[in-house]
Amino acid sequence: MGALRKPLRPGLYAITDNRLTPPETLIPAVEAALRGGARLVQYRDKGSSAAERLSQAQDLSSLCQSFAVPLLINDDPELAIRVGAAGVHLGQNDCALSDARRRLGDEAIIGITCHHSMELARSAAVNGADYLAFGRFYHSDTKPGAPPAAPEVLGEARTLGVPVTAIGGITRTNAEPLIRAGADLLAVVGGLFGGQPDDIEARALAFSQLFARHHPLFSLSE
C-alpha cells in the first residue's frame, strides 16, 4: 500500500449523527472516540439550527485540536471556515470540489463520496480530492438508500494514489475484510456511537487494534 497524503493517517474515521450524538452528549462522545484512537472526525448534523451547528462545531474544533486530529464538516465549507475546521466532506450533490477548494485553500482536507463508482473516484482524484469515500458496504441505518459497494472497489481505488475510505454499516465484527481489501480509513457512525455511551472508547480502540493488525502504515503509538 502506498503512503498516505499528510495530514491523513490510517485508522478510524468517527462521524457524528445528531440522532446518536445529540448536543448534550456530543463532546463527551467524540472525546471518548478520540481517546480510543480516532484519526479523523466529521461533524454531521442534519437537524439542528444554524446557531446550534455553529456552537457545536466550535466546541468540536477545539476538542479535535487538543488531540491533534483533523475535524471535517459535512457539506458546509462556510461553517468549516467559521470554526477553523481542517476541511469538509462533500457528497455528489453538494458544492463542487473546485468551489470548496477555492474557499478553503490548498491545505484543506476535502473528501468526496464516490458510492461504488470508479468513474466518480477518478474524477475526484484528478480534481484534487484528499480521500475517496466508498460505500455502503453493509446495511446502514444512516443512509439506507445508498447503493451497495463491493470490497473489491477499495483495492482498485488504491491505484489512484489517494487515501481510500469505506463507509456504511461498519462494526467491529465486519470491519476486518474492508481493511484487508484496501481501506485506509473506516468511517463509522452507529458502530461507534450507537449502543451504550460508556462503550465508545472501547469500540474506538477495537477499530484501532484492527488497523494495527491489518494495515501496514498504522501505528498505535502515533
Side-chain angles (χ1 to χ4, degrees), residues 20-143:
L20 300 175
T21 50
E24 63 272 17
T25 65
L26 176 64
I27 296 304
V30 174
E31 183 174 359
L34 290 166
R35 289 198 304 268
R39 296 294 175 80
L40 192 61
V41 174
Q42 182 187 139
Y43 173 59
R44 184 178 185 275
D45 185 328
K46 300 294 187 179
S48 298
S49 68
E52 290 169 332
R53 293 179 71 246
L54 175 60
S55 176
Q56 293 167 27
Q58 286 173 329
D59 290 343
L60 275 182
S61 181
S62 296
L63 174 65
C64 289
Q65 286 177 23
S66 71
F67 279 84
V69 168
L71 170 68
L72 306 188
I73 306 296
N74 181 262
D75 297 354
D76 196 337
E78 297 308 321
L79 182 57
I81 292 169
R82 293 187 69 181
V83 304
V88 294
H89 178 84
L90 301 175
Q92 288 296 318
N93 296 320
D94 299 322
C95 79
L97 193 159
S98 57
D99 290 341
R101 181 65 71 195
R102 184 172 60 253
R103 295 183 204 174
L104 296 172
D106 291 339
E107 298 303 312
I109 300 169
I110 301 178
I112 302 293
T113 294
C114 300
H115 299 301
H116 59 303
S117 169
M118 280 299 298
E119 181 179 355
L120 292 177
R122 291 187 187 96
S123 176
V126 167
N127 285 288
D130 294 290
Y131 70 82
L132 310 171
F134 293 91
R136 60 177 172 87
F137 288 94
Y138 307 110
H139 171 76
S140 171
D141 291 329
T142 304
K143 290 191 174 183

Side-chain angles (χ1 to χ4, degrees), residues 110-193:
I110 301 178
I112 302 293
T113 294
C114 300
H115 299 301
H116 59 303
S117 169
M118 280 299 298
E119 181 179 355
L120 292 177
R122 291 187 187 96
S123 176
V126 167
N127 285 288
D130 294 290
Y131 70 82
L132 310 171
F134 293 91
R136 60 177 172 87
F137 288 94
Y138 307 110
H139 171 76
S140 171
D141 291 329
T142 304
K143 290 191 174 183
E152 290 76 16
V153 75
L154 299 171
E156 188 176 356
R158 289 197 62 83
T159 64
L160 300 175
V162 180
V164 175
T165 298
I167 189 169
I170 299 171
T171 68
R172 291 169 291 177
T173 58
N174 63 24
E176 180 182 330
L178 301 178
I179 302 174
R180 289 182 174 276
D184 297 304
L185 293 154
L186 294 180
V188 186
V189 186
L192 178 62
F193 294 117

